[in-house]
DNA sequence: GTGAAAGCGCTAACAA
DNA sequence: TTGTTAGCGCTTTCAC
């Protein structure tokens, strides 16, 4: 392989004795080029193996034809699906995807905003690392539309597309209550993010409506040791330990909700090891409908997150903003409804598979 | 927000009455700029909110400072981890990541190569959609180094970093045989890719060494209906159906190997529903050590894939090629060894949790 | 229908 | 130390 320099318009022009300009227009299928020269030019371009230079094109056109996607952890199946959907839909519209992974690090999150700014992406979809995060305001300020994914960032008045966790949590909790649960708890990850807050609120609302009260806070924060390996978004072992504590403490709830299906794995184990039967002795409900959830025994009742819908809606909203068909419209907050998938973990007196 | 045009070097130069060039050098911390003007320039850049234009920079420097990553399906946990590791390591070295998702489509795969060529990425990491795929030769031909990930492409003599599936499969199979299995089968996905071929070969070798023969081919191809949803890399239901057939057929093997842990989910269900106990009646072994595998009951014996090592090694190899520290070296084929994680599914007469 | 010239934002020669 | 010139590869006026 002769590290041959890339073929440019100039090469084609020179080889054919025409101007660069003509070549450009011929290849772009503009009129004002005779059919004859156009054919010659295309043939020569093919012969030489010409590949347009997207960078040069973007520079002059002022559009990167690229979308930025900022994700905390691709190993979260929900985000993995988001990545697929977004890449696919963006590609359909001619956009390439620049992916940044923040691993819940505020520092990396800040740098991600900077990187997107430098590349001048046409728009950005971001799952913000919450807490601080004012740096994200820089994109809209620079005229780069952005929409928050899954995690809302009310302080910044940005477009948002995510899950209606409040409603889903309320619904799932009520389902458990209707199944006979009178004492419940919710295990949540220990991150100051909107999904956690919304699930907690929905959970509490269901308890209140049912007239269930408790002396202790029924929402329990699971101290999570983020894994350096990035193999898991959540560590079942953390929930396992906590569930063991609850079991040992003696005041066992009738039902346990968990903020994600991974926690359910830990809860299942703790209960099983204590000789308790999930679905009979304790109902369990989760979030995510992760691939394994249907195959646990008993099958896990869980909230299916509409990842594809969210990814699609987010891209579409972003493209709309990019095209500027909407003036400086007010920020849109879109929360997609979920489906509760009922399986044996919430059906007392059945307790086998699915 | 006044869609203010982006601040450029020229703006700073004009505002300060110096030349663009001086601004460029001052900001790049080159010497040959007086401390005085440098300070002034930096201050003005900060005041104006200057952000360097990576595209323009790349165009003139002839380096995109971008790596291309082509993945078939991010919902495969192994690939999800690869994405994380690669993004992180590339970023450490100053590279941005352009992600393309091919969904096993040869057409999309072809276009991915084209896109990478157009952007002029500095290097590419690709999980090729196999079968055809000669288009990938275009990258190296154009001077863009590329390394194949996980799936080898012997026809093209490209660099490759992946898993030593042959050895892992051999080892896992031998483990089952040592556990007492005398009749075994392997369920594999129906894709013409090197991992499947290597796992099958390793499996067969173990059988041969143990003197186990069978009238029928013990390697069974699972007809896979790729899911449009992209939520799953493999569909447990497909393996479930097939396992049911095997059970119903009557000639039940002592042990079942599966090419991925998702298939194990289906196999577990089929066996359980037939009243058989995994680990006692039938041993099961998988590939992937996916997050759920430790939490199945019984826990699944499976091969842990060294995703982080592979991602890191692949990026490092690619960077080495990019830097050209190696001349037109011969293609490197690197296969990482795996760890077999033994759990209850392969330990007869125990068969409860973990 | 075609070519010449200008410029996107930046860096790298070369002068001054 | 600084400014001028040139050019990365492309597209877009504007002449001809």
């Amino acid at each position: 392989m002769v590290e041959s320099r890339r073929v440019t318009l100039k090469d084609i022009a020179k080889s054919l004795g025409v101007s660069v300009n003509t070549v450009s227009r011929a290849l772009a299928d503009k009129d004002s080029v005779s059919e004859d020269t156009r054919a010659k030019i295309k043939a020569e371009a093919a012969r030489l193996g010409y590949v347009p230079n997207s960078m040069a094109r973007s520079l002059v056109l002022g559009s990167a034809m690229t979308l930025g996607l900022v994700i905390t952890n691709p190993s979260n199946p929900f985000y993995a699906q988001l990545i697929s959907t977004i890449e696919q839909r963006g590609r359909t519209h001619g956009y390439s995807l620049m992916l940044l992974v923040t691993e819940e690090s505020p520092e990396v999150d800040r740098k991600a905003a900077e990187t997107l700014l430098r590349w001048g992406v046409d728009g950005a979809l971001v799952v913000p690392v919450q807490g601080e995060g004012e740096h994200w305001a820089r994109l809209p300020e620079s005229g780069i539309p952005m929409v928050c994914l899954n995690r809302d960032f009310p302080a910044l008045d940005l477009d948002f597309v995510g899950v209606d966790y409040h409603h889903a949590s309320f619904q799932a909790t009520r389902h458990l209550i209707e199944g006979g649960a009178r004492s419940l708890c919710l295990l949540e990850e220990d991150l100051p993010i909107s999904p956690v807050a919304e699930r907690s609120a929905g959970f509490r609302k269901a308890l209140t409506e049912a007239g269930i009260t408790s002396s202790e806070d029924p929402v329990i924060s699971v101290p999570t040791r983020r894994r350096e390996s990035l193999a898991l978004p959540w560590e079942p072992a953390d929930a396992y330990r906590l569930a063991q504590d609850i079991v040992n403490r003696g005041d066992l709830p009738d039902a346990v909700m968990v903020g994600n299906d991974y926690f359910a794995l830990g809860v299942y184990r703790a209960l099983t090891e204590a000789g308790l039967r999930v679905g009979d002795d304790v109902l369990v409900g989760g979030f995510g409908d992760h691939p394994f959830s249907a195959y646990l025994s008993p099958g896990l009742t869980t909230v299916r997150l509409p990842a594809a819908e969210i990814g699609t809606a987010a891209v579409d909203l972003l493209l709309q903003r990019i095209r500027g068909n909407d003036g400086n419209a007010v920020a849109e907050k879109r929360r997609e409804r979920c489906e509760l998938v009922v399986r044996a973990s919430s059906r007392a007196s059945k307790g086998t598979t699915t």
Side-chain angles (χ1 to χ4, degrees), chain A residues 291-305:
Chain A
F292 54 82
S293 302
Y295 288 87
L296 299 177
S297 38
L300 177 65
T301 291
T302 182
V303 174
R304 177 173 297 152
L305 306 178

Side-chain angles (χ1 to χ4, degrees), chain A residues 202-220:
Chain A
F203 173 76
R204 289 199 159 97
K205 185 177 169 214
L207 296 199
T208 304
E209 277 203 1
I212 296 175
T213 56
S214 62
S215 50
E216 287 176 44
D217 190 346
V219 178
I220 303 171

